[in-house]
Amino acid sequence: MPIFQSRIQFHRSNKLRHCVLIGGGDIARRLVPLLLPRYTVWIASRFGADNPVQKWRQMGARTITIDLDQPNTLARLHGLAQFFIILAPPKPIELI
């Protein structure tokens, strides 16, 4: 095998993959330390006083602000990661 090809394969095999956790709750908080050794972890959520960005960055995750109720904000996720884990609760069903 030529040296050039072996270097390419080595680079690809050691490249960190990206994983996006949609929702910034308690389960996401538990998953981040488990995923960080193998993935670059992104937290996609609405951030505010109860869910500060700094908390996630201190854990080693990257953050991206989205709002599942505003579909135009979801375009930011396109092509960001190979894996998505959806942890956000579903929108409540309104009964008539």
Side-chain angles (χ1 to χ4, degrees):
M1 178 184 309
I3 294 173
F4 180 71
Q5 286 181 345
S6 64
R7 286 183 183 170
I8 291 173
Q9 289 174 350
F10 177 79
H11 175 70
R12 287 181 184 163
S13 65
N14 289 333
K15 186 177 178 184
L16 278 178
R17 294 179 285 182
H18 293 258
C19 179
V20 175
L21 302 179
I22 298 178
D26 191 44
I27 296 171
R29 196 172 300 118
R30 294 178 195 176
L31 280 175
V32 168
L34 299 174
L35 294 171
L36 277 174
R38 292 184 174 238
Y39 298 95
T40 298
V41 178
W42 290 83
I43 304 296
S45 182
R46 279 187 269 188
F47 298 102
D50 60 333
N51 189 17
V53 170
Q54 295 82 8
K55 169 185 75 174
W56 296 108
R57 291 184 181 160
Q58 288 173 352
M59 292 179 74
R62 298 178 182 188
T63 58
I64 186 165
T65 303
I66 65 164
D67 186 345
L68 294 175
D69 296 328
Q70 301 293 325
N72 59 332
T73 65
L74 302 180
R76 298 176 189 167
L77 299 176
H78 180 72
L80 184 63
Q82 293 84 8
F83 303 98
F84 290 82
I85 301 174
I86 301 172
L87 302 168
K91 195 173 187 178
I93 299 172
E94 296 179 20
L95 299 175
I96 298 176

